Amino acid sequence: MKKKRPTILVTGSKGQVGMELQTLANQFPDFDFIFVDIEELDITDPAAVKAFFAENQVNYCINCAAYTAVDKAETETNLAWKVNTVGPENLALACANTKALILQLSTDYVYHTQVTKPYIETDFTNPQGTYARTKLNGDEVVLRNHPGGAMVVRTSWVYSSFGNNFVKTMLRLGAEKRSCP
Ligand SMILES: NC(=O)c1ccc[n+]([C@@H]2O[C@H](COP(=O)([O-])OP(=O)(O)OC[C@H]3O[C@@H](n4cnc5c(N)ncnc54)[C@H](OP(=O)(O)O)[C@@H]3O)[C@@H](O)[C@H]2O)c1
């Protein structure tokens, strides 16, 4: 039987990063991709995640699913915790069980320190607010539940042609507003 190509599962695939990965996928013909968002796979549902991994070949998981509304997270604490901490834990456990590797996307908000140099992995974390705390917890549960098979990428602002972001806001304001005298 012909061996299937390694398969990359991308969760949260309708978000900014997920959509960009969808546009890039055809540049990687040696891999199959499965793109899912909450309608196809709710990462906060442990039974659904387990069943998904039982039914599909997954060799790598890129977790782009997240609760990213930083301000709203203060009033939707439970939802933020479920999506940013429980969801990654479910994925990490499923990956560990099936020997898949997981890449967890995270944020520099976990640091919140006044440094004038680029952060390194071992820097002190000091999350302020629900979003940052739930993301840090997500990083920790992923690394703890899949030692040796997990990687966490803590990025800063994400710019993309999809969704709302800082660059788009600046372009819009630049077009709408008069320039400074
Ligand atoms: N955006 C930034 O500037 C920024 C900066 C630093 C780090 N990051 C990190 O980078 C990663 C990707 O960010 P992004 O901007 O691409 O996020 P995003 O645009 O908010 O996309 C997240 C996606 O996850 C989906 N989702 C929410 N709950 C889910 C669930 N229970 N199960 C499955 N999918 C779910 C969302 O659906 P709904 O839209 O329907 O909720 C959305 O499609 C995140 O881990 C984020 O923390 C982002």
Side-chain angles (χ1 to χ4, degrees), residues 42-47 49 63 65 67 77-94 102 104 133-139 141-142 145:
D42 178 350
I43 65 164
T44 68
D45 180 344
V49 171
N63 181 28
Y67 182 104
T77 312
N78 195 46
L79 181 59
W81 169 72
K82 278 175 80 174
V83 181
N84 291 342
T85 302
V86 177
E89 182 173 35
N90 291 336
L91 292 172
L93 285 169
I102 182 167
Q104 165 71 6
R133 274 194 292 275
T134 57
K135 289 297 292 182
L136 177 61
N137 289 342
D139 299 356
V141 292
V142 165
N145 283 292

Side-chain angles (χ1 to χ4, degrees), residues 15-17 37 41-43 65-66 68 105-106 131 135 155-156 158:
Q16 285 194 79
V17 176
D37 206 278
L41 179 60
D42 178 350
I43 65 164
T68 55
L105 288 181
S106 186
Y131 170 72
K135 289 297 292 182
T155 184
S156 186
V158 168

Side-chain angles (χ1 to χ4, degrees), residues 14 20 26 28 94:
K14 289 188 183 157
E20 292 294 345
N26 61 7
F28 297 89

Side-chain angles (χ1 to χ4, degrees), residues 2 4 17 21 25-26 34 38 54 79 119 121 126 130 132 135 140 151 153 164:
K2 199 173 163 220
K4 261 196 96 192
V17 176
L21 290 178
N26 61 7
I34 307 175
I38 190 165
L79 181 59
Y119 291 116
E121 290 86 342
N126 181 30
T130 301
K135 289 297 292 182
E140 290 170 349
M151 181 188 284
V153 175
N164 295 314

